[in-house]
Amino acid sequence: MKEKLEALKNEALAKLQEVTDPQILNDLRVKYLGKKGELTEVLRGMGSLSAEERPVIGQVANLVRSAIEEIIGAKQEVFQQQETLNRLQAEKVDVTLPGRQLQQGGIHPLTRVVQEIEDIFIGMGYRVAEGPEVETDYYNFEALNLPKNHPARDMQDSFYLTEDLLMRTQTSPVQIRTMQAMNGEAPVKIICPGKVFRRDDDDATHSFQFHQIEGLVIGRNIRMSDLKGTLLQFVKEMFGANTGIRLRPSFFPFTEPSVEVDVSCFKCGGDGCRLCKQSGWLEILGAGMVHPNVLEMGGYDPAEFSGFAFGMGVERIAMLKYGIDDIRHFYSNDMSFVKQFKGV
Ligand code: PHE
């Protein structure tokens, strides 16, 4: 029996030594050590042994078992290490590979200018108001002191949808809508950005659709000097601390007096250059003191309340600020144009 065990051990060790595959290793483990394995088979014959022989053979059997277990354990460890190594190789990440760049969007220059202007006025306590793009003749003209057949209506060639409905030609109707909604309460301090529409032939500086930002302040004792101070503060924040303004007399039916507002050229500082056509000034705004008729139509008594209003073209400001020479670029959906404003 002892010889049988020795022979079993030698055979097992020789076979196990050569194993290179974990599956075969496992098969051999079952073959030699399993419940129905060869060692168990040999030990089954122990019953026929004498009492003296039994412990001796038992000891030999244990040694054989632990010798086989040991080599299986060692092999398993080697296989496991190998597997880990293989895994590491297979799942290797090349950290030097350059990453794929994510396409990042940018803010359209018009949106950017609107946001900048909004921020400046919100900082001065204004709120942002909105109004409809399809407007009635009453809000777009009549309540703004342009009765039917008023010659100033020719200033703004309009897209009429019906006799009474049109695409708004200016953001000024929001003045009336806001005043009426306030029910005579003061102060009113709003700016209103939005699209406006005019029957213009498109060229480098005209578009049938563009954007304006309207401003309106109503209160007691609001004076021309308040308008001037507000606009001066605005242009300093928008174009730089050294920017100045100049008011020139003008006419709008809904303001009296009315002014055109120029800013000192932020490119040449007023010396004269191509941008300002050598004049040193850039025209950017229409403004004035709210006309008494308009105050009345908005529900404010002109004897008690006064106010100022202003309106500016967003495209014009963006064109001056970013040196864009054709208004049509804004609407062309040309990626090479908009991409330039990613990081601005
Ligand atoms: N609505 C005028 C325009 O479109 C601009 C303006 C607004 C003028 C407010 C004075 C006051 O030209």
Side-chain angles (χ1 to χ4, degrees):
M1 195 152 186
K2 195 173 169 190
E3 288 78 51
K4 254 192 187 168
L5 286 170
E6 286 297 336
L8 181 66
K9 180 176 122 185
N10 290 339
E11 183 203 305
L13 292 189
K15 280 208 173 140
L16 286 166
Q17 208 62 260
E18 283 167 19
V19 174
T20 54
D21 181 290
Q23 186 57 48
I24 295 174
L25 182 70
N26 196 46
D27 292 348
L28 289 175
R29 187 182 57 78
V30 175
K31 176 174 154 74
Y32 294 116
L33 302 180
K35 272 200 186 118
K36 292 177 183 161
E38 293 183 18
L39 185 62
T40 320
E41 188 66 28
V42 175
L43 293 179
R44 217 167 264 152
M46 293 253 293
S48 61
L49 295 176
S50 67
E52 297 90 59
E53 273 180 315
R54 222 176 276 160
V56 181
I57 295 299
Q59 207 182 2
V60 174
N62 280 339
L63 285 175
V64 170
R65 173 180 285 279
S66 51
I68 295 176
E69 276 175 349
E70 199 177 309
I71 188 163
I72 289 178
K75 280 273 175 186
Q76 269 172 345
E77 201 164 312
V78 171
F79 288 151
Q80 241 160 42
Q81 277 175 4
Q82 189 58 45
E83 199 196 309
T84 309
L85 226 91
N86 289 346
R87 278 256 300 276
L88 286 176
Q89 278 293 334
E91 295 171 7
K92 194 163 87 173
V93 175
D94 181 359
V95 292
T96 66
L97 192 70
R100 280 185 203 96
Q101 196 138 27
L102 288 179
Q103 283 283 347
Q104 206 179 13
I107 296 176
H108 192 281
L110 290 180
T111 308
R112 192 179 290 273
V113 167
V114 169
Q115 286 176 348
E116 257 177 69
I117 296 173
E118 280 180 0
D119 282 351
I120 293 170
F121 281 100
I122 286 169
M124 293 196 247
Y126 287 61
R127 76 183 163 81
V128 177
E130 281 187 338
E133 288 170 7
V134 174
E135 193 49 285
T136 62
D137 187 272
Y138 169 78
Y139 282 112
N140 196 79
F141 290 128
E142 233 175 302
L144 287 164
N145 205 27
L146 277 105
K148 292 221 186 320
N149 303 320
H150 192 288
R153 285 197 181 204
D154 290 348
M155 280 164 72
Q156 305 185 357
D157 229 345
S158 322
F159 289 115
Y160 273 90
L161 303 174
T162 68
E163 181 97 343
D164 192 46
L165 281 180
L166 71 158
M167 304 306 292
R168 68 177 173 196
T169 60
Q170 49 187 352
T171 42
S172 301
V174 185
Q175 289 187 29
I176 307 293
R177 289 183 173 277
T178 305
M179 282 190 260
Q180 290 181 352
M182 290 290 284
N183 265 324
E185 265 180 58
V188 176
K189 281 174 89 178
I190 56 135
I191 51 160
C192 166
K195 278 195 194 109
V196 300
F197 307 83
R198 291 185 196 177
R199 278 177 49 179
D200 251 331
D201 283 331
D202 288 4
D203 63 24
T205 51
H206 296 84
S207 169
F208 70 94
Q209 172 200 299
F210 58 102
H211 297 75
Q212 285 188 333
I213 294 190
E214 190 84 7
L216 175 72
V217 171
I218 306 282
R220 293 179 177 83
N221 297 319
I222 302 290
R223 286 178 277 231
M224 191 89 180
S225 53
D226 296 314
L227 170 64
K228 199 174 167 189
T230 300
L231 294 179
L232 184 61
Q233 180 61 27
F234 162 65
V235 300
K236 282 179 184 298
E237 289 190 43
M238 188 73 194
F239 301 111
N242 293 326
T243 315
I245 58 170
R246 170 174 90 166
L247 308 189
R248 286 180 290 110
S250 184
F251 172 78
F252 297 103
F254 33 89
T255 46
E256 182 61 34
S258 301
V259 288
E260 298 275 357
V261 184
D262 300 340
V263 294
S264 57
C265 181
F266 44 82
K267 191 157 190 195
C268 61
D271 296 341
C273 68
R274 226 171 64 104
L275 187 69
C276 59
K277 301 202 179 85
Q278 310 305 329
S279 72
W281 296 95
L282 300 165
E283 183 191 323
I284 60 156
L285 271 147
M289 301 308 291
V290 180
H291 195 289
N293 291 352
V294 174
L295 281 171
E296 252 168 36
M297 293 219 242
Y300 291 85
D301 178 0
E304 191 182 348
F305 294 99
S306 55
F308 63 75
F310 54 86
M312 59 189 120
V314 178
E315 279 79 354
R316 176 153 169 79
I317 291 179
M319 286 168 85
L320 292 171
K321 190 163 176 177
Y322 297 120
I324 298 163
D325 57 9
D326 194 321
I327 194 169
R328 291 168 291 197
H329 285 312
F330 291 121
Y331 321 113
S332 63
N333 285 334
D334 180 351
M335 288 303 281
S336 60
F337 171 73
V338 284
K339 271 186 176 163
Q340 296 175 72
F341 299 91
K342 251 190 205 173
V344 181

